[in-house]
Amino acid sequence: MRTIVILPYDDKWLEMFEAESLLLKTLLGGVVKSIYHIGSTSVPGLSAKPVIDIMLEVSDINELDTYNSAMARAGYVARGENGISGRRYFIKGGEQRSHQVHAFTAGDMQVLRHLAFRDYLRKNRGIAEKYAEIKHAAASLSKNDVHRYSALKANFIEDHLKRALNGREL
């Protein structure tokens, strides 16, 4: 079972993203249009689970499927859509997950949503700090149940994602 641990922000997360980004560009060639660092590890100063979330914009999501064996050789496990229509999801590191890759066709609404929430947290320090408090409480209350952990954060994320998409700040 995975253990949910929230750690203080670590500057090495950016370096880990940059290294993995280079690997993914090399592995996936021309199918990748853009690579983004998303999730809590992409927000300077924000406490997070030490898992690097990477989002790919690809030219053709079905073409990306032809790279599953290359991703496997790089340590990734393909999980298909994994609950989000049109996404391809890959995990690396097993029970001690180190990286997650979320891939969408270029221009997909999910790309906008992820980037809007990330940028909103980067601009709004107080909201990011509140999010860190919620994540710490959720980790404690969830007793390593990742679904419960996510559910405990869901209302905060949904509320602030709407604000981010509407361009509002508190």
Side-chain angles (χ1 to χ4, degrees), residues 23-33 35 63 67:
L23 171 67
L24 292 168
K25 284 177 188 173
T26 302
L27 278 178
L28 303 175
V31 73
V32 174
K33 298 298 177 195
I35 300 180
E63 183 182 345
Y67 289 88

Side-chain angles (χ1 to χ4, degrees), residues 1-3 95-96 143-145:
M1 175 178 20
R2 286 189 359 231
T3 303
E95 291 297 320
Q96 298 303 317
K143 300 188 185 339
N144 294 319
D145 177 337

Side-chain angles (χ1 to χ4, degrees), residues 5-166:
V5 176
I6 306 299
L7 299 177
Y9 181 79
D10 190 330
D11 289 329
K12 77 176 178 184
W13 292 340
L14 177 57
E15 295 168 23
M16 291 171 68
F17 163 74
E18 289 172 350
E20 203 69 11
S21 177
L22 227 86
L23 171 67
L24 292 168
K25 284 177 188 173
T26 302
L27 278 178
L28 303 175
V31 73
V32 174
K33 298 298 177 195
S34 299
I35 300 180
Y36 305 98
H37 189 186
I38 61 168
S40 295
T41 62
S42 72
V43 179
L46 182 58
S47 297
K49 292 184 299 176
V51 178
I52 308 303
D53 278 291
I54 299 168
M55 183 172 61
L56 306 177
E57 271 190 296
V58 298
S59 55
D60 182 341
I61 202 73
N62 295 312
E63 183 182 345
L64 180 61
D65 293 337
T66 66
Y67 289 88
N68 285 353
S69 60
M71 291 291 282
R73 286 190 300 275
Y76 283 95
V77 175
R79 298 296 269 299
E81 289 185 329
N82 204 54
I84 299 177
S85 181
R87 172 176 76 165
R88 295 302 183 271
Y89 179 62
F90 302 87
I91 59 173
K92 185 176 190 175
E95 291 297 320
Q96 298 303 317
R97 190 170 301 172
S98 61
H99 296 78
Q100 302 178 132
V101 173
H102 313 259
F104 300 96
T105 300
D108 189 288
M109 182 61 180
Q110 289 293 338
V111 173
L112 173 65
R113 291 169 56 89
H114 283 285
L115 295 177
F117 189 64
R118 178 200 68 188
D119 293 347
Y120 178 81
L121 291 175
R122 285 178 173 177
K123 286 185 222 170
N124 294 281
R125 187 78 205 130
I127 293 166
E129 288 170 2
K130 178 67 176 165
Y131 186 38
E133 292 171 14
I134 288 169
K135 291 192 313 171
H136 281 286
S140 177
L141 293 169
S142 69
K143 300 188 185 339
N144 294 319
D145 177 337
V146 293
H147 298 294
R148 181 160 164 71
Y149 172 75
S150 293
L152 290 166
K153 300 183 310 170
N155 288 340
F156 177 90
I157 292 170
E158 196 56 39
D159 178 46
H160 289 282
L161 176 58
K162 285 178 189 170
R163 294 170 190 266
L165 290 170
N166 290 326

